[in-house]
Amino acid sequence: MLDELSKLFHHTRKMEKGSFLFQEGSAANELYMIQSGIVQLTKIIPDGRELTLRMCSKGDLVGELDLFTPAPSYLLSSRVIESGEVGVIMKDVLEEKLSTNLPLSLEFMKWMSKQYRKTQTKFRDLVLHGKKGALYSTLIRITNSYGVKTNNGILIELPLTNQDLANFCGTSREVVNRLLSELRKSGIISVNKGSITVHDLNYIKTEIDCEDCPIDICKID
């Protein structure tokens, strides 16, 4: 699917750290395939907090939620957290391609279904397990997406502040600070220069009755 979509690039665009590819509520005429760098898809919830739904990197498609809708506007915001480049696909061009290319449409539907399942399981954890469960499930997802096994545990190779983690959980930084402190004191994790190492992933999974979903579903990207 990625090869087919890359043939539809209208142009490529550089993206700088701290900028936005698009913002919630703006007109949605383009989709973006990430060639390099990392972007964060977020939603502002009614009380003003920011909820991070996905981290997207090379090969990921963003802005897809508004296909086949009249006068579309972006439902999420896409902030660049690591500079890179994206391929730009015009919405009407992709819609026409999907309407006439059945194999591509089927692959696209499978991909959309997987993204829906990822979002569904994330909201399940947020609703059923509270703030603690939200953080623990986020740590599990991050290790699946960006974790590297070392002799000391699983090192998360993604620079994340406590505020970043709070945004994934839909809670406050103070709550995340407290929960991470408890995990550090128990030896479940350690933090060195902002990088988290998970020493006992099974403990975290047990605490939230982890269902051991397939790794391709239990991820943050």
Side-chain angles (χ1 to χ4, degrees), residues 6 9 12 15 33-37 57-60 84-87:
S6 65
F9 287 176
T12 59
M15 55 180 189
M33 184 182 290
I34 300 174
Q35 304 299 291
S36 61
S57 54
K58 184 177 180 179
D60 286 330
E85 185 175 83
V86 293

Side-chain angles (χ1 to χ4, degrees), residues 46-220:
D47 63 5
R49 286 177 294 160
E50 186 176 63
L51 178 63
T52 300
L53 298 176
R54 286 172 57 199
M55 299 281 283
C56 303
S57 54
K58 184 177 180 179
D60 286 330
L61 186 69
V62 295
E64 78 285 353
L65 297 178
D66 302 289
L67 286 171
F68 298 102
T69 58
S73 60
Y74 291 113
L75 301 176
L76 307 172
S77 294
S78 180
R79 179 187 291 115
V80 180
I81 63 172
E82 182 180 293
S83 298
E85 185 175 83
V86 293
V88 180
I89 302 173
M90 304 307 295
K91 174 179 174 289
D92 56 348
V93 172
L94 179 56
E95 289 175 343
E96 181 179 356
K97 188 70 172 180
L98 292 174
S99 299
T100 58
N101 187 322
L102 180 58
L104 179 61
S105 295
L106 290 174
E107 287 301 312
F108 194 84
M109 288 172 63
K110 291 177 183 177
W111 179 81
M112 287 287 288
S113 176
K114 181 183 291 186
Q115 301 309 315
Y116 172 75
R117 289 178 64 193
K118 287 180 184 179
T119 302
Q120 186 180 50
T121 56
K122 177 181 176 67
F123 283 133
R124 175 201 64 194
D125 292 342
L126 289 174
V127 171
L128 295 182
H129 300 298
K131 296 174 182 178
K132 176 179 176 181
L135 176 61
Y136 284 16
S137 65
T138 295
L139 289 174
I140 294 169
R141 286 182 171 82
I142 293 174
T143 59
N144 288 339
S145 295
Y146 294 98
V148 176
K149 291 183 178 180
T150 69
N151 293 332
N152 196 33
I154 303 175
L155 172 66
I156 297 175
E157 288 194 325
L158 179 68
L160 289 171
T161 66
N162 287 5
Q163 184 61 60
D164 291 330
L165 289 172
N167 291 347
F168 274 110
C169 303
T171 188
S172 67
R173 187 181 62 211
E174 290 74 19
V175 169
V176 168
N177 290 347
R178 176 175 56 80
L179 292 172
L180 288 178
S181 179
E182 292 173 358
L183 289 174
R184 287 199 302 270
K185 290 177 181 178
S186 301
I188 306 302
I189 68 169
S190 60
V191 182
N192 181 29
K193 296 180 180 178
S195 296
I196 298 175
T197 297
V198 178
H199 303 294
D200 192 347
L201 187 60
N202 286 332
Y203 171 87
I204 294 175
K205 290 183 174 182
T206 300
E207 284 292 295
I208 59 169
D209 299 318
C210 178
E211 298 178 6
D212 283 321
C213 300
I215 288 181
D216 63 338
I217 297 300
C218 187
K219 301 178 76 174
I220 62 167

